[in-house]
Amino acid sequence: NNGGPDLIQDGHDGTIVAALDHEAIVNAIDRYKQNLDLVKLHGERAREKAKNFTWEKMGAKYKEAWHELLTTI
């Protein structure tokens, strides 16, 4: 997961597997195929988390970060 834990929390709102671990990828897909309630739950949680990444919210976070950086120089 190169995006960091703020994007996907393994087992909470998605499943993280190593990119080249073919067996883990197949197992994760099979797990979702066998448990549609888990698909729905992870999807709902992911959509809720995505609300934190709007242009407005991300812009405000970057503005705050730059402000803190420039006022500490």
Side-chain angles (χ1 to χ4, degrees):
N1 179 14
N2 294 329
D6 54 340
L7 295 180
I8 298 174
Q9 185 180 353
D10 191 35
H12 179 75
D13 54 16
T15 300
I16 298 174
V17 296
L20 298 177
D21 187 343
H22 304 287
E23 186 175 337
I25 294 168
V26 168
N27 290 339
I29 292 169
D30 283 342
R31 183 174 171 224
Y32 279 129
K33 282 174 50 178
Q34 295 173 18
N35 190 345
L36 296 181
D37 289 336
L38 183 62
V39 173
K40 183 178 178 182
L41 177 64
H42 282 185
E44 289 169 352
R45 288 176 174 168
R47 277 188 294 281
E48 189 62 32
K49 186 180 280 187
K51 292 177 184 177
N52 294 316
F53 296 95
T54 65
W55 285 108
E56 293 81 13
K57 288 184 179 185
M58 294 306 297
K61 288 179 183 182
Y62 278 109
K63 182 179 177 182
E64 180 181 335
W66 277 106
H67 178 73
E68 286 182 29
L69 177 67
L70 294 174
T71 58
T72 58
I73 295 178

Short mmCIF file of all heavy atoms in Angstrom, two decimals:
data_model
loop_
_atom_site.label_atom_id
_atom_site.label_comp_id
_atom_site.label_asym_id
_atom_site.label_seq_id
_atom_site.Cartn_x
_atom_site.Cartn_y
_atom_site.Cartn_z
N ASN A 1 0.86 -1.19 0.00
CA ASN A 1 0.00 0.00 0.00
C ASN A 1 0.89 1.23 0.00
O ASN A 1 1.37 1.67 1.02
CB ASN A 1 -0.93 -0.04 1.21
CG ASN A 1 -1.84 1.16 1.31
OD1 ASN A 1 -1.97 1.89 0.35
ND2 ASN A 1 -2.45 1.34 2.44
N ASN A 2 1.10 1.80 -1.15
CA ASN A 2 1.97 2.97 -1.26
C ASN A 2 1.28 4.26 -0.87
O ASN A 2 1.93 5.27 -0.70
CB ASN A 2 2.50 3.08 -2.69
CG ASN A 2 3.42 1.93 -3.03
OD1 ASN A 2 4.10 1.42 -2.16
ND2 ASN A 2 3.42 1.52 -4.27
N GLY A 3 -0.04 4.25 -0.75
CA GLY A 3 -0.77 5.46 -0.43
C GLY A 3 -0.76 5.80 1.04
O GLY A 3 -1.05 6.91 1.42
N GLY A 4 -0.43 4.86 1.87
CA GLY A 4 -0.40 5.11 3.29
C GLY A 4 -1.69 4.68 3.97
O GLY A 4 -2.70 4.43 3.32
N PRO A 5 -1.64 4.59 5.27
CA PRO A 5 -2.78 4.09 6.02
C PRO A 5 -3.99 5.02 6.01
O PRO A 5 -5.08 4.61 6.40
CB PRO A 5 -2.23 3.93 7.43
CG PRO A 5 -1.07 4.86 7.50
CD PRO A 5 -0.51 4.89 6.11
N ASP A 6 -3.81 6.25 5.56
CA ASP A 6 -4.97 7.15 5.48
C ASP A 6 -5.88 6.78 4.32
O ASP A 6 -7.02 7.23 4.26
CB ASP A 6 -4.54 8.61 5.39
CG ASP A 6 -3.57 8.88 4.26
OD1 ASP A 6 -2.93 7.93 3.79
OD2 ASP A 6 -3.43 10.05 3.89
N LEU A 7 -5.41 5.94 3.40
CA LEU A 7 -6.24 5.55 2.26
C LEU A 7 -6.99 4.24 2.50
O LEU A 7 -8.19 4.17 2.32
CB LEU A 7 -5.40 5.43 0.99
CG LEU A 7 -4.80 6.73 0.51
CD1 LEU A 7 -3.99 6.49 -0.76
CD2 LEU A 7 -5.88 7.77 0.23
N ILE A 8 -6.28 3.20 2.88
CA ILE A 8 -6.92 1.91 3.13
C ILE A 8 -6.42 1.36 4.45
O ILE A 8 -5.21 1.27 4.67
CB ILE A 8 -6.61 0.90 2.01
CG1 ILE A 8 -7.14 1.39 0.67
CG2 ILE A 8 -7.20 -0.48 2.36
CD1 ILE A 8 -6.74 0.52 -0.49
N GLN A 9 -7.35 0.99 5.29
CA GLN A 9 -7.02 0.32 6.55
C GLN A 9 -7.38 -1.15 6.36
O GLN A 9 -8.57 -1.50 6.24
CB GLN A 9 -7.78 0.94 7.71
CG GLN A 9 -7.39 0.37 9.05
CD GLN A 9 -8.17 1.01 10.18
OE1 GLN A 9 -8.92 1.97 9.99
NE2 GLN A 9 -8.00 0.47 11.36
N ASP A 10 -6.37 -1.99 6.30
CA ASP A 10 -6.57 -3.41 6.00
C ASP A 10 -7.57 -4.04 6.95
O ASP A 10 -7.45 -3.94 8.17
CB ASP A 10 -5.24 -4.15 6.09
CG ASP A 10 -5.32 -5.56 5.55
OD1 ASP A 10 -6.06 -5.77 4.58
OD2 ASP A 10 -4.63 -6.44 6.09
N GLY A 11 -8.59 -4.66 6.36
CA GLY A 11 -9.61 -5.34 7.14
C GLY A 11 -10.74 -4.44 7.62
O GLY A 11 -11.75 -4.93 8.11
N HIS A 12 -10.58 -3.13 7.48
CA HIS A 12 -11.62 -2.20 7.93
C HIS A 12 -12.42 -1.65 6.76
O HIS A 12 -13.64 -1.66 6.77
CB HIS A 12 -11.00 -1.06 8.74
CG HIS A 12 -12.01 -0.06 9.23
ND1 HIS A 12 -12.85 -0.32 10.27
CD2 HIS A 12 -12.32 1.17 8.78
CE1 HIS A 12 -13.64 0.73 10.46
NE2 HIS A 12 -13.33 1.65 9.56
N ASP A 13 -11.69 -1.13 5.77
CA ASP A 13 -12.38 -0.57 4.60
C ASP A 13 -11.77 -1.08 3.30
O ASP A 13 -11.95 -0.50 2.25
CB ASP A 13 -12.37 0.96 4.64
CG ASP A 13 -10.99 1.53 4.81
OD1 ASP A 13 -10.00 0.81 4.61
OD2 ASP A 13 -10.89 2.72 5.15
N GLY A 14 -11.08 -2.18 3.40
CA GLY A 14 -10.48 -2.78 2.22
C GLY A 14 -9.53 -3.89 2.63
O GLY A 14 -9.45 -4.25 3.80
N THR A 15 -8.83 -4.41 1.64
CA THR A 15 -7.86 -5.46 1.88
C THR A 15 -6.57 -5.09 1.19
O THR A 15 -6.57 -4.73 0.01
CB THR A 15 -8.38 -6.81 1.33
OG1 THR A 15 -9.60 -7.13 1.99
CG2 THR A 15 -7.38 -7.92 1.56
N ILE A 16 -5.48 -5.17 1.91
CA ILE A 16 -4.17 -4.85 1.35
C ILE A 16 -3.40 -6.14 1.14
O ILE A 16 -3.33 -6.98 2.05
CB ILE A 16 -3.39 -3.91 2.29
CG1 ILE A 16 -4.14 -2.59 2.44
CG2 ILE A 16 -1.97 -3.69 1.77
CD1 ILE A 16 -3.54 -1.65 3.45
N VAL A 17 -2.87 -6.31 -0.05
CA VAL A 17 -2.01 -7.45 -0.36
C VAL A 17 -0.78 -6.92 -1.09
O VAL A 17 -0.82 -5.86 -1.71
CB VAL A 17 -2.72 -8.51 -1.21
CG1 VAL A 17 -3.88 -9.12 -0.47
CG2 VAL A 17 -3.20 -7.94 -2.52
N ALA A 18 0.29 -7.67 -1.01
CA ALA A 18 1.50 -7.30 -1.74
C ALA A 18 1.23 -7.38 -3.24
O ALA A 18 0.56 -8.31 -3.72
CB ALA A 18 2.65 -8.22 -1.36
N ALA A 19 1.74 -6.44 -3.98
CA ALA A 19 1.44 -6.31 -5.40
C ALA A 19 1.77 -7.57 -6.20
O ALA A 19 1.03 -7.93 -7.10
CB ALA A 19 2.18 -5.12 -5.99
N LEU A 20 2.82 -8.24 -5.90
CA LEU A 20 3.23 -9.40 -6.70
C LEU A 20 2.92 -10.73 -6.02
O LEU A 20 3.35 -11.78 -6.49
CB LEU A 20 4.72 -9.31 -7.04
CG LEU A 20 5.10 -8.09 -7.87
CD1 LEU A 20 6.60 -8.04 -8.10
CD2 LEU A 20 4.35 -8.07 -9.19
N ASP A 21 2.18 -10.69 -4.94
CA ASP A 21 1.81 -11.91 -4.22
C ASP A 21 0.51 -12.44 -4.82
O ASP A 21 -0.58 -12.17 -4.34
CB ASP A 21 1.65 -11.62 -2.73
CG ASP A 21 1.45 -12.88 -1.91
OD1 ASP A 21 1.10 -13.93 -2.48
OD2 ASP A 21 1.61 -12.80 -0.68
N HIS A 22 0.66 -13.20 -5.89
CA HIS A 22 -0.51 -13.67 -6.65
C HIS A 22 -1.45 -14.51 -5.80
O HIS A 22 -2.67 -14.39 -5.91
CB HIS A 22 -0.05 -14.45 -7.89
CG HIS A 22 0.85 -13.66 -8.78
ND1 HIS A 22 0.38 -12.62 -9.56
CD2 HIS A 22 2.19 -13.70 -8.98
CE1 HIS A 22 1.39 -12.07 -10.22
NE2 HIS A 22 2.49 -12.71 -9.89
N GLU A 23 -0.89 -15.33 -4.94
CA GLU A 23 -1.74 -16.17 -4.08
C GLU A 23 -2.56 -15.31 -3.12
O GLU A 23 -3.75 -15.55 -2.92
CB GLU A 23 -0.88 -17.16 -3.30
CG GLU A 23 -1.70 -18.15 -2.49
CD GLU A 23 -0.85 -19.20 -1.81
OE1 GLU A 23 0.28 -19.47 -2.27
OE2 GLU A 23 -1.34 -19.77 -0.82
N ALA A 24 -1.94 -14.28 -2.55
CA ALA A 24 -2.67 -13.39 -1.64
C ALA A 24 -3.76 -12.62 -2.37
O ALA A 24 -4.84 -12.40 -1.82
CB ALA A 24 -1.70 -12.42 -0.96
N ILE A 25 -3.49 -12.23 -3.60
CA ILE A 25 -4.49 -11.51 -4.40
C ILE A 25 -5.68 -12.42 -4.68
O ILE A 25 -6.84 -12.02 -4.50
CB ILE A 25 -3.87 -10.97 -5.71
CG1 ILE A 25 -2.82 -9.90 -5.39
CG2 ILE A 25 -4.95 -10.41 -6.63
CD1 ILE A 25 -1.95 -9.51 -6.57
N VAL A 26 -5.40 -13.65 -5.10
CA VAL A 26 -6.48 -14.61 -5.37
C VAL A 26 -7.27 -14.87 -4.09
O VAL A 26 -8.51 -14.92 -4.11
CB VAL A 26 -5.90 -15.92 -5.95
CG1 VAL A 26 -6.94 -17.02 -5.96
CG2 VAL A 26 -5.36 -15.68 -7.35
N ASN A 27 -6.59 -15.04 -2.97
CA ASN A 27 -7.27 -15.29 -1.70
C ASN A 27 -8.16 -14.12 -1.31
O ASN A 27 -9.28 -14.32 -0.81
CB ASN A 27 -6.27 -15.60 -0.59
CG ASN A 27 -5.60 -16.95 -0.77
OD1 ASN A 27 -6.12 -17.82 -1.46
ND2 ASN A 27 -4.44 -17.12 -0.18
N ALA A 28 -7.69 -12.91 -1.53
CA ALA A 28 -8.48 -11.73 -1.18
C ALA A 28 -9.74 -11.66 -2.06
O ALA A 28 -10.83 -11.37 -1.56
CB ALA A 28 -7.65 -10.46 -1.34
N ILE A 29 -9.58 -11.94 -3.34
CA ILE A 29 -10.73 -11.93 -4.24
C ILE A 29 -11.72 -13.02 -3.84
O ILE A 29 -12.93 -12.78 -3.78
CB ILE A 29 -10.28 -12.09 -5.71
CG1 ILE A 29 -9.50 -10.85 -6.15
CG2 ILE A 29 -11.47 -12.35 -6.62
CD1 ILE A 29 -8.79 -11.01 -7.49
N ASP A 30 -11.21 -14.20 -3.56
CA ASP A 30 -12.09 -15.30 -3.13
C ASP A 30 -12.83 -14.95 -1.85
O ASP A 30 -14.01 -15.26 -1.71
CB ASP A 30 -11.29 -16.58 -2.94
CG ASP A 30 -10.93 -17.26 -4.24
OD1 ASP A 30 -11.57 -16.94 -5.28
OD2 ASP A 30 -10.02 -18.11 -4.24
N ARG A 31 -12.14 -14.31 -0.94
CA ARG A 31 -12.78 -13.91 0.32
C ARG A 31 -13.95 -12.97 0.05
O ARG A 31 -15.02 -13.12 0.64
CB ARG A 31 -11.75 -13.23 1.24
CG ARG A 31 -12.29 -12.83 2.58
CD ARG A 31 -11.16 -12.31 3.45
NE ARG A 31 -11.70 -11.73 4.66
CZ ARG A 31 -11.30 -10.60 5.20
NH1 ARG A 31 -10.31 -9.91 4.64
NH2 ARG A 31 -11.85 -10.13 6.29
N TYR A 32 -13.76 -12.02 -0.84
CA TYR A 32 -14.85 -11.11 -1.18
C TYR A 32 -15.97 -11.83 -1.93
O TYR A 32 -17.15 -11.56 -1.70
CB TYR A 32 -14.34 -9.93 -2.01
CG TYR A 32 -13.69 -8.83 -1.18
CD1 TYR A 32 -12.44 -8.34 -1.50
CD2 TYR A 32 -14.34 -8.28 -0.09
CE1 TYR A 32 -11.85 -7.33 -0.76
CE2 TYR A 32 -13.77 -7.27 0.66
CZ TYR A 32 -12.51 -6.80 0.32
OH TYR A 32 -11.95 -5.80 1.06
N LYS A 33 -15.61 -12.75 -2.82
CA LYS A 33 -16.63 -13.50 -3.57
C LYS A 33 -17.52 -14.30 -2.62
O LYS A 33 -18.71 -14.46 -2.87
CB LYS A 33 -15.97 -14.44 -4.57
CG LYS A 33 -15.47 -13.76 -5.82
CD LYS A 33 -14.68 -14.67 -6.73
CE LYS A 33 -15.38 -15.96 -7.04
NZ LYS A 33 -14.62 -16.82 -7.97
N GLN A 34 -16.95 -14.79 -1.55
CA GLN A 34 -17.68 -15.63 -0.61
C GLN A 34 -18.40 -14.84 0.47
O GLN A 34 -19.17 -15.41 1.24
CB GLN A 34 -16.73 -16.64 0.04
CG GLN A 34 -16.15 -17.63 -0.95
CD GLN A 34 -15.08 -18.51 -0.33
OE1 GLN A 34 -14.99 -18.63 0.88
NE2 GLN A 34 -14.27 -19.13 -1.17
N ASN A 35 -18.15 -13.54 0.55
CA ASN A 35 -18.74 -12.75 1.62
C ASN A 35 -19.17 -11.38 1.08
O ASN A 35 -18.47 -10.38 1.26
CB ASN A 35 -17.73 -12.59 2.77
CG ASN A 35 -18.35 -12.00 4.01
OD1 ASN A 35 -19.45 -11.45 3.97
ND2 ASN A 35 -17.64 -12.11 5.12
N LEU A 36 -20.33 -11.35 0.45
CA LEU A 36 -20.82 -10.10 -0.14
C LEU A 36 -21.15 -9.06 0.92
O LEU A 36 -21.11 -7.86 0.65
CB LEU A 36 -22.02 -10.38 -1.04
CG LEU A 36 -21.70 -11.26 -2.25
CD1 LEU A 36 -22.95 -11.47 -3.10
CD2 LEU A 36 -20.57 -10.66 -3.08
N ASP A 37 -21.47 -9.50 2.14
CA ASP A 37 -21.70 -8.53 3.22
C ASP A 37 -20.42 -7.77 3.53
O ASP A 37 -20.45 -6.58 3.84
CB ASP A 37 -22.21 -9.23 4.49
CG ASP A 37 -23.63 -9.73 4.35
OD1 ASP A 37 -24.38 -9.17 3.49
OD2 ASP A 37 -24.00 -10.66 5.08
N LEU A 38 -19.28 -8.44 3.45
CA LEU A 38 -17.99 -7.79 3.68
C LEU A 38 -17.70 -6.79 2.57
O LEU A 38 -17.19 -5.70 2.83
CB LEU A 38 -16.87 -8.82 3.77
CG LEU A 38 -15.48 -8.28 4.09
CD1 LEU A 38 -15.47 -7.59 5.46
CD2 LEU A 38 -14.45 -9.40 4.04
N VAL A 39 -18.04 -7.14 1.34
CA VAL A 39 -17.88 -6.21 0.21
C VAL A 39 -18.68 -4.94 0.48
O VAL A 39 -18.17 -3.83 0.33
CB VAL A 39 -18.34 -6.86 -1.11
CG1 VAL A 39 -18.33 -5.85 -2.24
CG2 VAL A 39 -17.47 -8.06 -1.45
N LYS A 40 -19.92 -5.13 0.89
CA LYS A 40 -20.79 -3.97 1.17
C LYS A 40 -20.23 -3.14 2.33
O LYS A 40 -20.17 -1.90 2.24
CB LYS A 40 -22.20 -4.45 1.51
CG LYS A 40 -23.18 -3.34 1.75
CD LYS A 40 -24.57 -3.88 2.04
CE LYS A 40 -25.52 -2.72 2.32
NZ LYS A 40 -26.86 -3.17 2.64
N LEU A 41 -19.80 -3.80 3.40
CA LEU A 41 -19.27 -3.08 4.56
C LEU A 41 -18.02 -2.29 4.20
O LEU A 41 -17.91 -1.11 4.52
CB LEU A 41 -18.96 -4.07 5.69
CG LEU A 41 -18.34 -3.48 6.95
CD1 LEU A 41 -19.31 -2.50 7.62
CD2 LEU A 41 -17.96 -4.60 7.91
N HIS A 42 -17.07 -2.94 3.52
CA HIS A 42 -15.85 -2.24 3.14
C HIS A 42 -16.16 -1.09 2.18
O HIS A 42 -15.55 -0.02 2.27
CB HIS A 42 -14.86 -3.21 2.50
CG HIS A 42 -14.14 -4.06 3.50
ND1 HIS A 42 -13.13 -4.93 3.13
CD2 HIS A 42 -14.26 -4.19 4.83
CE1 HIS A 42 -12.67 -5.54 4.21
NE2 HIS A 42 -13.36 -5.11 5.25
N GLY A 43 -17.10 -1.30 1.27
CA GLY A 43 -17.48 -0.24 0.34
C GLY A 43 -18.08 0.96 1.06
O GLY A 43 -17.74 2.11 0.75
N GLU A 44 -18.97 0.69 2.02
CA GLU A 44 -19.58 1.80 2.78
C GLU A 44 -18.53 2.56 3.56
O GLU A 44 -18.52 3.80 3.58
CB GLU A 44 -20.64 1.24 3.74
CG GLU A 44 -21.88 0.74 3.04
CD GLU A 44 -22.81 -0.05 3.96
OE1 GLU A 44 -22.44 -0.34 5.12
OE2 GLU A 44 -23.93 -0.38 3.50
N ARG A 45 -17.63 1.83 4.21
CA ARG A 45 -16.58 2.50 5.00
C ARG A 45 -15.63 3.29 4.10
O ARG A 45 -15.20 4.39 4.46
CB ARG A 45 -15.81 1.46 5.81
CG ARG A 45 -16.62 0.89 6.96
CD ARG A 45 -15.86 -0.18 7.67
NE ARG A 45 -16.56 -0.64 8.87
CZ ARG A 45 -16.21 -1.73 9.53
NH1 ARG A 45 -15.18 -2.47 9.14
NH2 ARG A 45 -16.89 -2.09 10.60
N ALA A 46 -15.31 2.74 2.94
CA ALA A 46 -14.41 3.44 2.01
C ALA A 46 -15.06 4.71 1.47
O ALA A 46 -14.40 5.75 1.36
CB ALA A 46 -14.02 2.50 0.87
N ARG A 47 -16.35 4.63 1.15
CA ARG A 47 -17.05 5.84 0.67
C ARG A 47 -17.08 6.91 1.75
O ARG A 47 -16.91 8.10 1.47
CB ARG A 47 -18.47 5.48 0.23
CG ARG A 47 -18.55 4.95 -1.18
CD ARG A 47 -19.98 4.79 -1.67
NE ARG A 47 -20.71 3.77 -0.93
CZ ARG A 47 -20.60 2.47 -1.14
NH1 ARG A 47 -19.79 2.01 -2.06
NH2 ARG A 47 -21.31 1.61 -0.42
N GLU A 48 -17.28 6.51 2.99
CA GLU A 48 -17.29 7.47 4.10
C GLU A 48 -15.91 8.12 4.25
O GLU A 48 -15.79 9.32 4.42
CB GLU A 48 -17.72 6.77 5.39
CG GLU A 48 -17.98 7.70 6.53
CD GLU A 48 -19.12 8.67 6.29
OE1 GLU A 48 -20.09 8.32 5.58
OE2 GLU A 48 -19.05 9.81 6.81
N LYS A 49 -14.87 7.31 4.18
CA LYS A 49 -13.51 7.83 4.30
C LYS A 49 -13.17 8.78 3.15
O LYS A 49 -12.49 9.79 3.33
CB LYS A 49 -12.50 6.69 4.35
CG LYS A 49 -11.08 7.17 4.62
CD LYS A 49 -10.11 6.02 4.65
CE LYS A 49 -10.17 5.32 5.98
NZ LYS A 49 -9.12 4.30 6.12
N ALA A 50 -13.68 8.47 1.95
CA ALA A 50 -13.40 9.29 0.78
C ALA A 50 -13.91 10.72 0.94
O ALA A 50 -13.39 11.64 0.31
CB ALA A 50 -14.00 8.65 -0.47
N LYS A 51 -14.89 10.92 1.79
CA LYS A 51 -15.41 12.27 2.03
C LYS A 51 -14.35 13.18 2.62
O LYS A 51 -14.47 14.40 2.56
CB LYS A 51 -16.63 12.21 2.95
CG LYS A 51 -17.83 11.54 2.30
CD LYS A 51 -18.99 11.44 3.27
CE LYS A 51 -20.16 10.69 2.66
NZ LYS A 51 -21.26 10.53 3.62
N ASN A 52 -13.29 12.62 3.20
CA ASN A 52 -12.20 13.41 3.77
C ASN A 52 -11.21 13.89 2.72
O ASN A 52 -10.27 14.61 3.04
CB ASN A 52 -11.45 12.59 4.83
CG ASN A 52 -12.30 12.30 6.02
OD1 ASN A 52 -13.02 13.17 6.52
ND2 ASN A 52 -12.26 11.07 6.49
N PHE A 53 -11.40 13.48 1.47
CA PHE A 53 -10.44 13.79 0.43
C PHE A 53 -11.04 14.63 -0.70
O PHE A 53 -10.66 14.50 -1.85
CB PHE A 53 -9.84 12.49 -0.13
CG PHE A 53 -9.05 11.73 0.90
CD1 PHE A 53 -9.64 10.70 1.63
CD2 PHE A 53 -7.73 12.06 1.16
CE1 PHE A 53 -8.92 10.01 2.59
CE2 PHE A 53 -7.01 11.38 2.12
CZ PHE A 53 -7.61 10.35 2.83
N THR A 54 -11.96 15.52 -0.35
CA THR A 54 -12.51 16.43 -1.35
C THR A 54 -11.46 17.49 -1.68
O THR A 54 -10.50 17.70 -0.94
CB THR A 54 -13.78 17.13 -0.84
OG1 THR A 54 -13.42 17.96 0.28
CG2 THR A 54 -14.85 16.13 -0.44
N TRP A 55 -11.64 18.17 -2.81
CA TRP A 55 -10.71 19.25 -3.17
C TRP A 55 -10.66 20.31 -2.09
O TRP A 55 -9.59 20.82 -1.76
CB TRP A 55 -11.13 19.89 -4.51
CG TRP A 55 -10.80 19.04 -5.69
CD1 TRP A 55 -11.68 18.36 -6.47
CD2 TRP A 55 -9.50 18.75 -6.21
NE1 TRP A 55 -11.01 17.67 -7.45
CE2 TRP A 55 -9.67 17.89 -7.32
CE3 TRP A 55 -8.21 19.13 -5.84
CZ2 TRP A 55 -8.59 17.41 -8.06
CZ3 TRP A 55 -7.15 18.65 -6.59
CH2 TRP A 55 -7.35 17.81 -7.67
N GLU A 56 -11.83 20.63 -1.53
CA GLU A 56 -11.89 21.67 -0.50
C GLU A 56 -11.11 21.26 0.74
O GLU A 56 -10.32 22.03 1.29
CB GLU A 56 -13.34 21.99 -0.14
CG GLU A 56 -14.14 22.63 -1.26
CD GLU A 56 -14.66 21.62 -2.28
OE1 GLU A 56 -14.63 20.39 -2.02
OE2 GLU A 56 -15.08 22.07 -3.37
N LYS A 57 -11.34 20.05 1.21
CA LYS A 57 -10.66 19.60 2.44
C LYS A 57 -9.16 19.43 2.22
O LYS A 57 -8.36 19.80 3.08
CB LYS A 57 -11.29 18.30 2.95
CG LYS A 57 -12.67 18.53 3.53
CD LYS A 57 -13.24 17.25 4.11
CE LYS A 57 -14.62 17.54 4.70
NZ LYS A 57 -15.17 16.37 5.38
N MET A 58 -8.78 18.84 1.09
CA MET A 58 -7.36 18.66 0.83
C MET A 58 -6.67 20.01 0.63
O MET A 58 -5.55 20.22 1.10
CB MET A 58 -7.15 17.76 -0.38
CG MET A 58 -7.61 16.33 -0.16
SD MET A 58 -6.88 15.52 1.30
CE MET A 58 -5.15 15.50 0.87
N GLY A 59 -7.33 20.94 -0.05
CA GLY A 59 -6.77 22.28 -0.22
C GLY A 59 -6.54 22.96 1.11
O GLY A 59 -5.51 23.59 1.34
N ALA A 60 -7.52 22.84 2.02
CA ALA A 60 -7.38 23.45 3.35
C ALA A 60 -6.22 22.82 4.12
O ALA A 60 -5.47 23.52 4.80
CB ALA A 60 -8.69 23.30 4.13
N LYS A 61 -6.04 21.51 3.99
CA LYS A 61 -4.93 20.83 4.68
C LYS A 61 -3.59 21.30 4.13
O LYS A 61 -2.64 21.54 4.89
CB LYS A 61 -5.07 19.31 4.55
CG LYS A 61 -6.19 18.75 5.40
CD LYS A 61 -6.29 17.24 5.23
CE LYS A 61 -7.45 16.69 6.03
NZ LYS A 61 -7.56 15.23 5.93
N TYR A 62 -3.50 21.40 2.79
CA TYR A 62 -2.24 21.89 2.20
C TYR A 62 -1.97 23.33 2.60
O TYR A 62 -0.84 23.71 2.90
CB TYR A 62 -2.27 21.76 0.68
CG TYR A 62 -1.91 20.38 0.20
CD1 TYR A 62 -2.89 19.55 -0.34
CD2 TYR A 62 -0.62 19.90 0.31
CE1 TYR A 62 -2.57 18.28 -0.77
CE2 TYR A 62 -0.29 18.63 -0.12
CZ TYR A 62 -1.27 17.83 -0.66
OH TYR A 62 -0.95 16.57 -1.09
N LYS A 63 -3.00 24.16 2.62
CA LYS A 63 -2.84 25.56 3.01
C LYS A 63 -2.34 25.65 4.44
O LYS A 63 -1.41 26.42 4.74
CB LYS A 63 -4.18 26.29 2.87
CG LYS A 63 -4.11 27.75 3.20
CD LYS A 63 -5.47 28.42 3.00
CE LYS A 63 -5.42 29.87 3.41
NZ LYS A 63 -6.73 30.51 3.27
N GLU A 64 -2.92 24.85 5.32
CA GLU A 64 -2.49 24.84 6.72
C GLU A 64 -1.04 24.36 6.85
O GLU A 64 -0.25 24.95 7.60
CB GLU A 64 -3.41 23.93 7.53
CG GLU A 64 -3.05 23.85 9.00
CD GLU A 64 -3.96 22.92 9.77
OE1 GLU A 64 -5.11 22.69 9.33
OE2 GLU A 64 -3.52 22.41 10.81
N ALA A 65 -0.68 23.33 6.11
CA ALA A 65 0.68 22.80 6.16
C ALA A 65 1.69 23.85 5.68
O ALA A 65 2.74 24.05 6.31
CB ALA A 65 0.80 21.53 5.33
N TRP A 66 1.37 24.51 4.58
CA TRP A 66 2.26 25.56 4.08
C TRP A 66 2.35 26.71 5.05
O TRP A 66 3.43 27.27 5.27
CB TRP A 66 1.80 26.06 2.70
CG TRP A 66 2.27 25.18 1.59
CD1 TRP A 66 1.55 24.30 0.87
CD2 TRP A 66 3.62 25.09 1.10
NE1 TRP A 66 2.33 23.66 -0.06
CE2 TRP A 66 3.62 24.13 0.07
CE3 TRP A 66 4.82 25.73 1.44
CZ2 TRP A 66 4.77 23.79 -0.63
CZ3 TRP A 66 5.95 25.38 0.72
CH2 TRP A 66 5.93 24.43 -0.28
N HIS A 67 1.25 27.07 5.66
CA HIS A 67 1.25 28.17 6.64
C HIS A 67 2.16 27.82 7.81
O HIS A 67 2.97 28.64 8.24
CB HIS A 67 -0.17 28.46 7.12
CG HIS A 67 -0.24 29.53 8.15
ND1 HIS A 67 -0.05 30.86 7.87
CD2 HIS A 67 -0.42 29.45 9.51
CE1 HIS A 67 -0.12 31.56 8.98
NE2 HIS A 67 -0.36 30.74 9.99
N GLU A 68 2.04 26.61 8.32
CA GLU A 68 2.88 26.18 9.43
C GLU A 68 4.34 26.17 9.03
O GLU A 68 5.22 26.61 9.80
CB GLU A 68 2.46 24.79 9.91
CG GLU A 68 1.17 24.77 10.69
CD GLU A 68 0.81 23.37 11.17
OE1 GLU A 68 1.74 22.55 11.39
OE2 GLU A 68 -0.38 23.10 11.32
N LEU A 69 4.62 25.68 7.84
CA LEU A 69 5.99 25.63 7.37
C LEU A 69 6.59 27.03 7.24
O LEU A 69 7.70 27.30 7.71
CB LEU A 69 6.06 24.92 6.00
CG LEU A 69 7.43 24.85 5.34
CD1 LEU A 69 8.36 23.96 6.15
CD2 LEU A 69 7.30 24.35 3.92
N LEU A 70 5.84 27.94 6.65
CA LEU A 70 6.37 29.28 6.38
C LEU A 70 6.45 30.13 7.64
O LEU A 70 7.27 31.05 7.70
CB LEU A 70 5.51 29.97 5.32
CG LEU A 70 5.59 29.32 3.94
CD1 LEU A 70 4.61 29.97 2.99
CD2 LEU A 70 7.01 29.35 3.38
N THR A 71 5.63 29.84 8.63
CA THR A 71 5.70 30.65 9.86
C THR A 71 6.74 30.13 10.83
O THR A 71 7.01 30.79 11.83
CB THR A 71 4.33 30.69 10.56
OG1 THR A 71 3.89 29.37 10.85
CG2 THR A 71 3.31 31.42 9.72
N THR A 72 7.35 28.96 10.55
CA THR A 72 8.39 28.44 11.43
C THR A 72 9.79 28.70 10.89
O THR A 72 10.76 28.34 11.50
CB THR A 72 8.22 26.92 11.66
OG1 THR A 72 8.25 26.25 10.40
CG2 THR A 72 6.93 26.63 12.38
N ILE A 73 9.84 29.32 9.72
CA ILE A 73 11.17 29.60 9.11
C ILE A 73 11.77 30.83 9.73
O ILE A 73 11.19 31.80 10.00
CB ILE A 73 11.04 29.76 7.58
CG1 ILE A 73 10.61 28.44 6.98
CG2 ILE A 73 12.33 30.24 6.97
CD1 ILE A 73 10.41 28.48 5.48
#
